[in-house]
Amino acid sequence: MASAVADKEPKIGSNDDLNSISVEPNGEITHEPENGRVEQPKRNVKFTVTPVSDSEHEATAKNDNRPEQPVSFDVLDGDNNDTYNLQNSITALLSSKFRDIQKKLKQYGLESPRFRKRLVSKWESLNYDICENVLYLKERDKHKSKKWVTLRWIHRWVIMFMIGIGTALLAAAIHAIVENLAHLKFELVKDYLDHCAKEGCLYQPVLIWMAINVVVTMAGAALVTFLQPKAAGSGIPFIKSYLNGVKIPGLLTFRAFIAKTVGVVCSILGGLACGKEGPMAHSGSIIAAGLGRGRINFCAGKSCSLYDSFRNDHEIRDFVAGGAASGVSSAFGAPIGGTLFSLEEAASFWNQDLTWRVFFASMIACFGTNFLISSINGHPTKLSAPGLVRFNVFKYDLNFDLIEIPVFIFMAVVGGLLGALFVVLNYKLTVFRQKYLNKNWIKVVEAGVVSVVSAAIAFGLLVGINDCTTEHPSDHHAVTSKLYCKGEGEHNSLSTLFLTTPEGCLKALLHDPYGFHGPVSLVAFVCIFFFMGVWTYGLSVSSGVFIPALAIGAAWGRLVGIGVINMLPDSTHLQIDVGKYALIGAACQLGGILRTTISLTVILVECTGDISFGLPIMIVLMISKWVGDFITTGLYDMNVEVLGMPMLPFDCPPLTEDLRASDIMSQPLYTFKPKETVRNIYSMLQQETFCGFPVIEEDTSTTPRQIKLKGLILRHQLLLLLHKKIFCPPGQVQPRNVKLKDFRDFYPMYMKVEEIEISEEEMDYEMDLKPYYNPTPYTVESIFSLPRVFNLFRGLGLRHLIVVNDKNVPIGMVTRKDLAKFRVGSKRGIVKIEHLNIEDK
Amino acid sequence: MASAVADKEPKIGSNDDLNSISVEPNGEITHEPENGRVEQPKRNVKFTVTPVSDSEHEATAKNDNRPEQPVSFDVLDGDNNDTYNLQNSITALLSSKFRDIQKKLKQYGLESPRFRKRLVSKWESLNYDICENVLYLKERDKHKSKKWVTLRWIHRWVIMFMIGIGTALLAAAIHAIVENLAHLKFELVKDYLDHCAKEGCLYQPVLIWMAINVVVTMAGAALVTFLQPKAAGSGIPFIKSYLNGVKIPGLLTFRAFIAKTVGVVCSILGGLACGKEGPMAHSGSIIAAGLGRGRINFCAGKSCSLYDSFRNDHEIRDFVAGGAASGVSSAFGAPIGGTLFSLEEAASFWNQDLTWRVFFASMIACFGTNFLISSINGHPTKLSAPGLVRFNVFKYDLNFDLIEIPVFIFMAVVGGLLGALFVVLNYKLTVFRQKYLNKNWIKVVEAGVVSVVSAAIAFGLLVGINDCTTEHPSDHHAVTSKLYCKGEGEHNSLSTLFLTTPEGCLKALLHDPYGFHGPVSLVAFVCIFFFMGVWTYGLSVSSGVFIPALAIGAAWGRLVGIGVINMLPDSTHLQIDVGKYALIGAACQLGGILRTTISLTVILVECTGDISFGLPIMIVLMISKWVGDFITTGLYDMNVEVLGMPMLPFDCPPLTEDLRASDIMSQPLYTFKPKETVRNIYSMLQQETFCGFPVIEEDTSTTPRQIKLKGLILRHQLLLLLHKKIFCPPGQVQPRNVKLKDFRDFYPMYMKVEEIEISEEEMDYEMDLKPYYNPTPYTVESIFSLPRVFNLFRGLGLRHLIVVNDKNVPIGMVTRKDLAKFRVGSKRGIVKIEHLNIEDK
């Protein structure tokens, strides 16, 4: 079906969009209908609804069998003449300035804004609701004892423990491999550089350096691109979406694990501006999903299965929450931050017991990582390395004075602006990549190009700036090159930044003594690293954005620190504070780029290891978030938008109370009878892509005939029943040789309907659905308002919500995409509601 | 009605309970029906259900009009012959030993376990659901613009800001008043003591000391007892219940604020073993509720009203979450911990925007407190006091070695056991108080007695032990008395513990040098403070349990530290670590007593100010929680149970899938027609205590007559409509002079039906309910299982859930108490489900 509509899909960024979108002088993006057709009555639209274009409409209609007549949303009335008080404020002034710049940018622009204003129909919901059918009740009767409940409880804790241990082992292994290999590589490069600086054969080490980088990087990129493309990037947008309830096939597989873990080692060894912290969250989640399912699927379709009792979306998602938390916890040594990270997305399902389990897993992961890395460092009982990256080795206590707060606030504003710039540039690049660099081999080559350019620029700066210093770096293991520095004990200060992993670079910027890095080197470093960071994020390699963001911020924070210290008289005693400014700068930059909430704050505070310094960190994170949000969304949100994921926000968008369930539901509804012929079922599954079908019963004895909702049956249940041939000629007794275990074994790799072979004779058999459908699906009446439907859907983690009329007859279905298509944004301080398209892709 | 059934209420603890409960050899508390009547079929009951007694049944039936026939729960089948694997484990051995002890205790026992196995019917639910009736839609149409949404958003943030500032001001004020007055008092006592020790007139200072204590304490107790009894204790159990969704009249009033804040100053000055941290959470909540409502009600029924747009349970509860967080944050300097504290109870309503607001408020509170207290201390720009109590002034870095973990685990087990003992003793005392000390004047006298005894014991120990030391206390402002110490520079070491507030005492135990406190003093201190702590908590005074719990733990932790240091050879360099053990001991003791979750962990870690030491704190908190949970519930949970609050847990109890909505709903259902006579409404409100009535319409045109659910109308809506006389003779047009604002102004002080005067003529008028009822109440079908009903109710924060049959005709109502009466407990490692009584009280 996707291919059938592919030619109708509007070309992104092309000017012949059926519905072009323009920015009007009042700053609102409005919709200009072409061909003289007005699809939506404009009188009542106060907020701007980006309507569904014609071609979209057809695609959608074909996909979800919506009737062709335009669905008339009586969306919201209002008057455009409303003058806002805020219009005359600084806000408005700034935003008009910004608009001008944006307009100019747009003329060179690569894309239309529509690219972010759509949902992709392939993303489905996880199924969090328990199907209490006859099978389930039978199965449960067997295990219905306090003992069983207790054992199940213990089992969950044991798996969480194993998740923590597994994540810790992985973190320690990656850390040891990356650090040792990178150190070797940089030692080699450095010796060669020092040697050749004297001999004048500098092109040799540079070529070797580039060669190593390009080979390793392209290996990593190839691994990701060909084995499992979902392992690209940090994986955090995917994990957040998954925890929010979006089903992402292939995300939590063994292939993704290999691509992610081996890939991240390659990326860092290949000299890309990326960290290994983000991918840890994804890797931890995969470990959790694997342990929860009790099964590993190897490449050749072989699998190794241990136990099956937790094989449903509900349990697996709980484990994945633990895994993501463990990953973050072992990466940053932040058990509380990790817990919050995974719970803030899955929060509609927060409960105390789950929270404890998640916390337990992340504590084990943190503790295990600490122990293992300490052991590798040779002192296993002195626990000194709670995570892969820590900021807490300041040689003095972090303190701050109230008069420093304004400086911090200034830095937060800068961080927010730079962060927004990062996101905007990366967005343009992402769109460019999707348009032009969408072939697998091009992706691999691009990664190679980036690694070559990284090495070339680094070398260029080393030689070009040649900033010599005699001070010792804070880290004794740091690789320093003399290069052209002639003096006794002198070495090139930039070499400690470039001849190390991005993590080492961050540590150097935070902890190196005051005079180590000169302003010129720092400015050059910020510019280069910023653009390399933008370019690297989104490559088809396994890479995290935390560390580069922190390193960029630390560098310009250090610059600010040097500035402040130089401006004040008698400031030699303040020189020790330069690391503090670097830390604040790092926080500002990260906050500006990612904009993530409480969990990020806690992670940074835990990384810093000093609570009393938490306050300024919290303040700058909040301000940089606000400044950034004023311009654009955060990086992860941008990723999610570009992917067209139907993420459900925490609250229903405001001003949507006038929409009724009947306005938003998908229609028409295809239903089954409790006894249905195999032919009907088979052809329905072939023709429709729906994942759930209401089961209705007609009472023919009364007039008018009464239709009664009996339950809801899911596509994958029907597929298994067809596959197991649970049907019989009419009048005979249906075989009952299917158990709950079969459904669980099936999870989550459901077959396609085409793979099931049914003979022509069997087509006329009947299937009794009664033991299998969910007899108590949640329903809403058609007059329910959108907020009430939304709360029900989100609060209960549903996948299907049946809309009934006032006689309890099902008339439609609400799914995740029907709710997610209304998105609220607050652009430049004004709330804005958009109606997204749903695209096949 | 309450008085009508009062004589039928079974006397607690008396032996003539209709249903006596005995502990059988297999450890399960079972129910012995008397009078030869078996109300419940026992065949199927596997877990122990404490059934509703006869008298209870009557009371309940009268209250919720349940028909007299025993409701036959087909609760759960199973077999009692099941032998558990766990039965033969150490668990079982320990638990049988414990049972023997418990049996013996029970012979002297004061109460039957039934006391904790009930819900009190007076507690109602908050109404979190929005009533989208015609009035609401009309009101909203007026404000339906992006501007309004934005302004409302800003308004919420501003109120949160004010909450933070208000809490900070309060915290700083209480801190300054308490610390200065207490210092004055103790200086006075000390001078007198030192003087009289030489002169031999020691009875004089002791009498003065006692006199001050008893007067101040009794003043505080009288304030709480007579002004607002809900201000007693720390208030945290109440706040937790409120955030969980229980409506608690009087909790968030101006009277409670006065009683709480002035009361806590009196309690501490009166020398009780209590802290000012717990009450801060309650005070912060009251500030938040007051600011949210925009109205203060003074004593004489006068009120000062500012704005009304946030006057509904939903908004107020969000603000209270912020207030509670601010209170905790300013008390402990723990903004993250405070945020978690208030969100973990209200978590079914967690959303990112609310989280940010709560976090913002608690950050402001923390920052404000820090600034104000620093200003009071004379250096406003050096922010040095983020909260009222902090542990972070250790003179060295907190570090730990892996080999210390076993010692910490041992301490955690001790803490868990001591904590459980604390809870058990306090529970016995609470029951005793409810039985015998329930008159107001007795309560005040008891507080006086406690304060006298506290002073007497303190003096006895000072003189009796006379432990002299020459070391200086860590705090330069500490009051030290020489008493009988003769040597040059010597002083009584216990005097630093008793001549200070409990907070000062905690600080001394954490930070005083190694040799300062001898083992004998510490043992005496632990014993005395433990029993004074048990006695004090639950008095009718405003008092917190955090600080005494921490102080007890710090004292025995210090003892353990001294023991460990003495056992190791060459340990003088370890002497500095004694404070570390005190800190761990404090954490263990607090974890053992309170058992609160993630938030407590974060609060303690933030208080410590050192993240790397967070790991052992987390470990000991988890272990002490587990050990404590093995024996009894936590202190706050015990309070909640004794109060009979219908707290809803996070998950539905397991093994309840066989219960259907039709089994648990309240019946019969009283309904109204869309046009109802005033007489019907008035008499229904008089006779029934229900808070919500379904509105149904009968369609007489069809046969059989079809009944259709139209909506749900709330008691307080009907009361206002009657009060405003929104009715008319049949056929006329009903007055419409009631607005949403009237309902909001009404909130939350709803009148009683008896206060409304309706003339006999008006009784025959008709009221059209259509514009006022909620047209889209959530409903479930009667075949829904309990877990599904529970998830819906809890997930959406409902107050009423209408149960309909398969024809969509309402047949019953599920409210909070119907769900909360199934409680899960894990006693001694085995899951247990109880069916609680619902009592009038």
Side-chain angles (χ1 to χ4, degrees), chain A residues 28 146 352 597 657 785, chain B residues 28 132 140 146 352 597 785:
Chain A
E28 291 190 297
K146 288 181 281 180
Q352 224 161 356
T597 62
E657 289 97 338
S785 65
Chain B
E28 291 191 299
E132 288 185 346
R140 211 221 24 233
K146 288 181 282 179
Q352 223 160 355
T597 62
S785 65

Side-chain angles (χ1 to χ4, degrees), chain A residues 28 46-47 76-77 82-86 129-130 132 136-137 140-141 144-147 149-150 157 335-336 340 344-345 347 350-352 355-356 359-360 363 366-367 370-371 380-383 390 400-403 405 596-598 601-602 605-606 609-612 615 618-619 622 625-626 650-651 654-655 657-658 660 706 708 774-778 781 783-785 787-789 791-792 795-796 806-808 829-832, chain B residues 28 46-48 76-77 82-86 129-130 132 136-137 140-141 144-147 149-150 157 335-336 340 344 347 350-352 355-356 359-360 363 366-367 370-371 380-383 390 392 400-403 405 597-598 601-602 605-606 609-612 615 618-619 622 625-626 650-651 654-655 657-658 660 706 708 774-778 781 783-785 787-789 791-792 795-796 806-808 829-832:
Chain A
E28 291 190 297
K46 172 167 220 167
F47 62 78
L76 277 186
D77 61 23
D82 221 20
T83 49
Y84 302 145
N85 290 338
L86 293 172
D129 200 19
I130 290 167
E132 288 186 348
Y136 174 82
L137 294 177
R140 212 223 20 238
D141 278 353
K144 198 164 59 184
S145 71
K146 288 181 281 180
K147 185 180 109 191
V149 171
T150 309
W157 279 92
I336 300 168
L340 288 178
E344 72 182 359
E345 268 311 321
W350 167 300
N351 71 59
Q352 224 161 356
T355 311
W356 266 111
F359 185 53
F360 177 73
M363 216 180 70
C366 175
F367 194 81
N370 199 340
F371 176 72
T381 67
K382 297 267 175 220
L383 300 178
R390 295 285 287 186
F400 68 102
D401 199 294
L402 203 59
I403 52 173
I405 296 283
T596 42
T597 62
I598 309 287
T601 317
V602 178
V605 172
E606 284 191 283
D610 189 337
I611 289 282
S612 58
L615 198 67
M618 290 176 215
I619 292 174
M622 283 186 85
K625 175 189 156 71
W626 281 338
F650 289 90
D651 273 331
L655 304 176
E657 289 97 338
D658 282 335
R660 302 276 149 195
Q706 281 198 330
K708 238 169 70 180
N774 180 0
T776 52
Y778 290 106
E781 243 187 274
I783 55 165
F784 269 52
S785 65
R788 293 176 80 77
V789 174
N791 287 344
L792 183 69
L796 300 181
D806 61 352
K807 291 187 180 62
N808 214 12
I830 300 286
V831 174
K832 197 170 134 232
Chain B
E28 291 191 299
K46 173 167 217 170
F47 62 78
T48 315
L76 277 187
D77 62 21
D82 221 21
T83 49
Y84 302 143
N85 290 337
L86 294 171
D129 201 18
I130 290 167
E132 288 185 346
Y136 174 82
L137 293 177
R140 211 221 24 233
D141 277 353
K144 198 164 61 183
S145 70
K146 288 181 282 179
K147 183 181 111 191
V149 170
T150 309
W157 279 91
I336 300 168
L340 287 179
E344 73 182 357
W350 167 300
N351 71 59
Q352 223 160 355
T355 310
W356 265 111
F359 184 55
F360 177 72
M363 216 181 69
C366 175
F367 194 81
N370 198 341
F371 176 71
T381 66
K382 297 268 173 215
L383 301 177
R390 295 285 286 187
N392 64 340
F400 68 102
D401 199 293
L402 203 60
I403 51 172
I405 297 283
T597 62
I598 308 286
T601 316
V602 178
V605 171
E606 284 190 282
D610 189 338
I611 289 281
S612 58
L615 198 67
M618 291 176 214
I619 292 173
M622 284 187 85
K625 177 189 155 70
W626 281 338
F650 289 89
D651 273 330
L655 305 177
E657 289 97 338
D658 281 336
R660 302 277 149 194
Q706 280 196 332
K708 238 170 70 180
N774 180 0
T776 53
Y778 290 106
E781 242 187 276
I783 55 164
F784 269 52
S785 65
R788 293 176 80 78
V789 174
N791 287 344
L792 183 68
L796 300 180
D806 60 351
K807 291 188 180 60
N808 215 11
I830 300 285
V831 175
K832 199 171 132 231

Side-chain angles (χ1 to χ4, degrees), chain A residues 265-286:
Chain A
V265 172
C266 293
S267 306
I268 295 174
L269 289 181
L272 297 182
C274 66
K276 59 190 185 292
E277 280 65 26
M280 274 310 298
H282 189 177
S283 311
S285 305
I286 302 176

Side-chain angles (χ1 to χ4, degrees), chain A residues 384-652:
Chain A
S384 56
L388 301 185
V389 61
R390 295 285 287 186
F391 316 149
N392 64 339
V393 284
F394 286 97
K395 294 193 192 71
Y396 50 92
D397 276 350
L398 285 167
N399 277 312
F400 68 102
D401 199 294
L402 203 59
I403 52 173
E404 288 180 307
I405 296 283
V407 181
F408 293 163
I409 289 177
F410 165 74
M411 290 171 75
V413 173
V414 173
L417 292 174
L418 280 180
L421 182 64
F422 190 103
V423 176
V424 169
L425 291 178
N426 192 268
Y427 171 57
K428 306 274 175 197
L429 189 63
T430 306
V431 173
F432 181 83
R433 277 187 182 132
Q434 293 222 356
K435 280 178 67 185
Y436 301 112
L437 311 179
N438 44 17
K439 292 215 175 56
N440 281 346
W441 67 268
I442 296 186
K443 289 182 187 171
V444 176
V445 168
E446 194 199 0
V449 171
V450 173
S451 74
V452 168
V453 172
S454 300
I457 290 180
F459 175 74
L461 286 186
L462 282 185
V463 175
I465 294 181
N466 197 29
D467 191 357
C468 294
T469 179
T470 55
E471 300 218 36
H472 292 289
S474 57
D475 183 0
H476 302 297
H477 298 289
V479 178
T480 53
S481 164
K482 278 188 81 73
L483 263 178
Y484 291 125
C485 296
K486 307 283 180 220
E488 181 67 27
E490 271 193 352
H491 51 86
N492 190 307
S493 72
L494 268 175
S495 65
T496 53
L497 298 185
F498 284 119
L499 293 178
T500 180
T501 58
E503 252 168 66
C505 174
L506 171 63
K507 275 186 203 159
L509 288 166
L510 289 177
H511 303 302
D512 277 352
Y514 175 71
F516 197 92
H517 301 284
V520 179
S521 324
L522 286 176
V523 170
F525 179 84
V526 170
C527 297
I528 294 308
F529 221 70
F530 187 87
F531 287 101
M532 290 318 297
V534 171
W535 198 3
T536 306
Y537 187 78
L539 279 183
S540 181
V541 296
S542 170
S543 68
V545 75
F546 270 94
I547 297 294
L550 289 169
I552 295 162
W556 63 254
R558 206 178 169 92
L559 264 177
V560 173
I562 292 173
V564 168
I565 291 162
N566 282 332
M567 276 197 297
L568 296 176
D570 291 332
S571 57
T572 35
H573 68 283
L574 287 175
Q575 290 185 358
I576 203 169
D577 277 352
V578 74
K580 184 170 77 182
Y581 286 95
L583 178 59
I584 289 289
C588 295
Q589 187 63 67
L590 192 63
I593 293 178
L594 297 185
R595 252 63 74 63
T596 42
T597 62
I598 309 287
S599 67
L600 183 64
T601 317
V602 178
I603 289 170
L604 280 185
V605 172
E606 284 191 283
C607 259
T608 312
D610 189 337
I611 289 282
S612 58
F613 201 64
L615 198 67
I617 290 183
M618 290 176 215
I619 292 174
V620 300
L621 279 173
M622 283 186 85
I623 294 172
S624 63
K625 175 189 156 71
W626 281 338
V627 171
D629 278 348
F630 196 73
I631 298 170
T632 176
T633 53
L635 189 64
Y636 293 152
D637 292 332
M638 185 275 282
N639 279 169
V640 168
E641 285 175 12
V642 169
L643 286 164
M645 295 261 189
M647 289 267 273
L648 288 184
F650 289 90
D651 273 331
C652 188

